[in-house]
Amino acid sequence: MTKRRRILVWAVVSLVLLVVGLGFYGGVRWQQFKRDLGIVTLDLSGVRLTFNHLAVQQIVIIRQPSADERLAVTLDSLRLEFADGWRLLPLQSLNIERLDVHWQSAPSKDDDQPLTLPNPQQLKDWSAWLPRQGQITSLELTSPCASGTCQAQGQLGWQLGEQAPLPATLDLQLNHQTHRLALALQAYEQGSDTHLDLALQLDGQQRLSMQNQLTDSSDSTLWRGTLAMNELPEAPWLLGWLSEWLAYSPPALPAMPEQMRIGAGWALQIDTQALPQDWKALNGELRLSANLPAPWPVVGLGQVQGHLDLSARADDGLWIPTELAGDLSLLPVTELFAALPAPLRPRAVSLKIIPTQTDEAAQGLAVNVQLAASGPSPMTLDTRLVLQTAAPYKAAFDHTQLKLRSAAIKGADFSLKELETDLRLNGELSQQDASIRLRKGSRLKLNSLTVASGLTASTLLMELAGLGAEAGFSDGQIHSLAVTGKTAIAVGEVKQPALRPQGWRWSGTLNADQSQISLDGPLGNDAGLSLALQLTHNRVDSATRLIITLPELFLRAGNPLDETLADWPPLLELNNGRVQGQAQLDVPGSGAVAASAKLSAKGLGGIYDRTELSGLDAELSAVLRRNQLRLDLTELTLREANPGFTFGPLRFAGEYAAPLDTLAQGRLAWSIAEVRLLGGRLWLEPGVADLASGAQQLHAHLRGLQLPLLLEAYPAEGLSGTGVIDGELQLQRSEAGISIEQGSLQAREPGGALQFRSPKIQALGQANPAMRLVTEALDDFHYDLLASDVHYATDGKLDLGLKLHGRNPALEGGRPINFSINLEEDIPALLTSLQLSDRVSETIQRRVQERLR
């Protein structure tokens, strides 16, 4: 083989290897390209390429970037014409016999990316790749919509200028059953202006026309335009068609709605770079006139009827009405007021706007506004509104009256009936702040209010005159809000398990801002109780604090506490002394409720059950924390008690702690527990008693009891004596009551004397010789020993084993005599006999007699 032939062979082999390598590389890159775009299928059939056109019989593209997103495009009979002279651009024409697009979208995700519009240079670059003319004979689109999946069929055609994008026309036709919608767009340049004209035809009749004129300047675009629509008899089928694509249910309309008219014109200066992100880029004027003799459906609102004339000016995105008049009615869609409770959702809304004259000194637009809503809760709003149409912009309203009536409203934890609201307002509103003031006559009435906690209020009246609200704005957001003023609430009757039914009243000051709400003022009721109330609710952590103060209350004029509290002991009457206190309740946003209270009583007097009380002084504090109640009685002194005999003073100091759900099974501790009894002293040593256990043992000491006072209190005729008694008593407390299992009493040395000189005893001695010695000895008995053991049962039976040693100097030369006497006394019966005498008040005597009956 010659050298030349070898070189040729190697060249051919190298060329083949290069072609194969390029083909392999190209295939790898093509597969990678399809994977990047999510293309799973790309089929072309019947491809024919010439110097002046490209023809493809069918193209099938399936793109599936994810499992739940799919796009399938099928093109039949595509023909693309090129420019002459081997030039690719501009493309001359594009014809597609059939274009079928099936789109399945992935679940929508929130996208915070702002909308961006293409700039003119981008539009110019893109238009360079568009064929100068095009036609899609059959266009079929299947895509997701509000009803699931929707289909659209139609045709699309366009025509561009020979050398430039403009002039251009676009014709889109969509078919729905036997109906046809045609949209025609024309764009052309005239001098430095760009014109865009839009026409909409329905079933061959033009129904909407819109002309736009865009004039570019160095930093903005002037957009001028008009819109006109005179009638729309095709509304029933058009709305039914749109309802498949939009989340909207069209109402039933007549076959041929009445004449309607909508016209608009505008001239707006637009910053096209800032507009998508900042609507303050708008400046200019707008005029709108609409006349709707019959109800016309508006997507998102409902059926609108009436007329509206509006002229407005935009100043950096702020729209200021310069002319306004209208008379509109609305049958709203359900979604419009879905956020309101069902009883407050209106079935129909009417709005009247009537221009009026402004003051000569004022520069602006004045209108009377009348708004009315009918439904379960009728509402009316009448106001005079004055809009300042020159900077600084503001709106003032006066002679404003808002009325609302509702038969019943129910919430998650409350219900109210027959609500009547009458608000009379004045105020101002600007871009920076707003202020509202409630005038005289503003009030809220309720026939009844029921709260889940068991509270029921009837005939409630809230006076709101004097309240005011102030708000500050920044960047369209409220940065400050304050509501202040005086208000008053009167309730005909309040029912609550812990209270007696009666009327209540509160008046005071309301202060509220974005962080907290507070109420401060006196609370009173029909019983004459007056309390100072302070309520604070923190809106940041949802914590609430309630402070109630009871000013010094003098009970000689009456006791409103027993006429207020349902659990007031029915047998306790207080008619003297004074009492004051304070309570605080803390309800956190989460966690356990905490409470504390302090009560001070001075010189209390009255009756408890069948015992007269006088001179009661007490200092009591209570704390509730983590479901544990703790009571501290730092001082309790009762000067005198009289259950049929008088004793006192009584002193006690101690504390009690128990879980809230088992209050009777707590722990009682005391440092002082004593009483002065018949000249002596009875006391307990400091100790602790656990009431959760079955029984408690207590050791009581008795010192210095005066026997003359004891015999004076005991209702035994002719019995008297002298001496001083001491003793020790072992007390036991159980569920059955108090008992004494072991007790002892003994007279102090050197003893004393006893005289029992009752005529009945003397007669008994004369009639019974065996008793004569006893009656003669006790006539003047000088004892040197008097002792007794003591037993007291829970049923009130007292047993005394009495031992008596001494003599009567006048009997048998004063020889010693010993007595062993067993005495039994029914203490409740004894006290009953004492309480039937004049030793106690008439109230106690009456209670005893009622019990005996």
Side-chain angles (χ1 to χ4, degrees), residues 472-525:
F473 307 101
S474 177
D475 297 329
Q477 302 292 327
I478 298 178
H479 66 78
S480 65
L481 176 65
V483 179
T484 59
K486 292 185 177 297
T487 184
I489 302 174
V491 185
E493 185 180 66
V494 175
K495 293 182 179 180
Q496 205 271 342
L499 302 174
R500 298 183 187 273
Q502 61 186 301
W504 287 81
R505 293 163 298 280
W506 178 85
S507 62
T509 303
L510 166 66
N511 289 290
D513 55 31
Q514 291 175 297
S515 60
Q516 72 174 23
I517 301 172
S518 63
L519 299 173
D520 189 356
L523 175 68
N525 63 7

Side-chain angles (χ1 to χ4, degrees), residues 518-743:
S518 63
L519 299 173
D520 189 356
L523 175 68
N525 63 7
D526 293 345
L529 180 65
S530 179
L531 303 170
L533 182 144
Q534 292 179 325
L535 175 67
T536 303
H537 175 72
N538 192 308
R539 300 181 62 186
V540 178
D541 56 10
S542 299
T544 301
R545 169 169 290 182
L546 175 64
I547 299 177
I548 298 177
T549 302
L550 174 65
E552 194 168 48
L553 178 64
F554 292 88
L555 300 178
R556 185 179 293 275
N559 181 12
L561 293 175
D562 64 347
E563 299 179 22
T564 300
L565 302 176
D567 293 335
W568 183 270
L571 298 178
L572 176 62
E573 296 182 8
L574 296 178
N575 50 33
N576 202 0
R578 61 188 189 272
V579 62
Q580 63 182 0
Q582 186 179 78
Q584 176 175 312
L585 176 66
D586 290 298
V587 182
S590 60
V593 175
S596 62
K598 291 184 178 180
L599 182 68
S600 175
K602 298 293 183 183
L604 296 186
I607 298 173
Y608 178 69
D609 196 4
R610 296 182 293 176
T611 301
E612 294 181 3
L613 306 174
S614 61
L616 175 63
D617 299 338
E619 294 289 338
L620 174 66
S621 63
V623 176
L624 173 63
R625 186 173 289 113
R626 295 184 181 89
N627 205 40
Q628 292 286 326
L629 178 65
R630 176 187 174 93
L631 300 175
D632 288 315
L633 195 59
T634 56
E635 177 186 354
L636 185 146
T637 302
L638 177 62
R639 186 178 69 250
E640 188 175 277
N642 180 14
F645 67 97
T646 301
F647 64 90
L650 180 148
R651 296 177 60 222
F652 182 85
E655 62 184 41
Y656 182 75
L660 194 60
D661 51 355
T662 55
L663 281 178
Q665 300 178 7
R667 178 180 178 275
L668 176 66
W670 63 88
S671 58
I672 299 175
E674 67 175 33
V675 60
R676 294 289 179 174
L677 181 64
L678 302 174
R681 175 173 174 253
L682 178 66
W683 78 96
L684 298 174
E685 297 290 342
V688 177
D690 184 5
L691 303 187
S693 62
Q696 293 81 37
Q697 299 290 336
L698 304 174
H699 188 188
H701 309 280
L702 175 64
R703 297 291 185 272
L705 186 143
Q706 301 296 315
L707 187 59
L709 298 178
L710 173 62
L711 298 179
E712 181 182 346
Y714 188 74
E717 181 183 0
L719 179 60
S720 62
T722 62
V724 178
I725 306 298
D726 298 328
E728 301 292 334
L729 303 174
Q730 297 293 333
L731 306 178
Q732 179 172 298
R733 191 210 71 87
S734 64
E735 295 181 358
I738 300 293
S739 61
I740 301 176
E741 297 299 329
Q742 294 180 358

Side-chain angles (χ1 to χ4, degrees), residues 60 112 165 232 256 342 437 472 529 558 586 617 628 788-789 820:
V60 177
D112 296 331
L232 193 64
M256 292 293 290
R437 181 64 58 182
L529 180 65
D586 290 298
D617 299 338
Q628 292 286 326
S788 176
D789 53 8
S820 293

Side-chain angles (χ1 to χ4, degrees), residues 100-119:
D100 189 354
V101 179
H102 286 260
W103 176 38
Q104 175 184 331
S105 66
S108 61
K109 298 180 180 179
D110 294 335
D111 190 0
D112 296 331
Q113 295 296 327
L115 174 66
T116 58
L117 297 179
N119 56 45

Side-chain angles (χ1 to χ4, degrees), residues 774-814:
V774 175
T775 57
E776 291 178 352
L778 293 179
D779 183 74
D780 184 19
F781 189 76
H782 295 257
Y783 66 88
D784 53 26
L785 174 65
L786 190 156
S788 176
D789 53 8
V790 181
H791 296 276
Y792 181 74
T794 57
D795 60 358
K797 292 295 191 295
L798 175 66
D799 293 321
L800 297 178
L802 188 63
K803 295 180 180 179
L804 188 63
H805 179 268
R807 61 181 62 85
N808 185 338
L811 180 62
E812 298 180 358

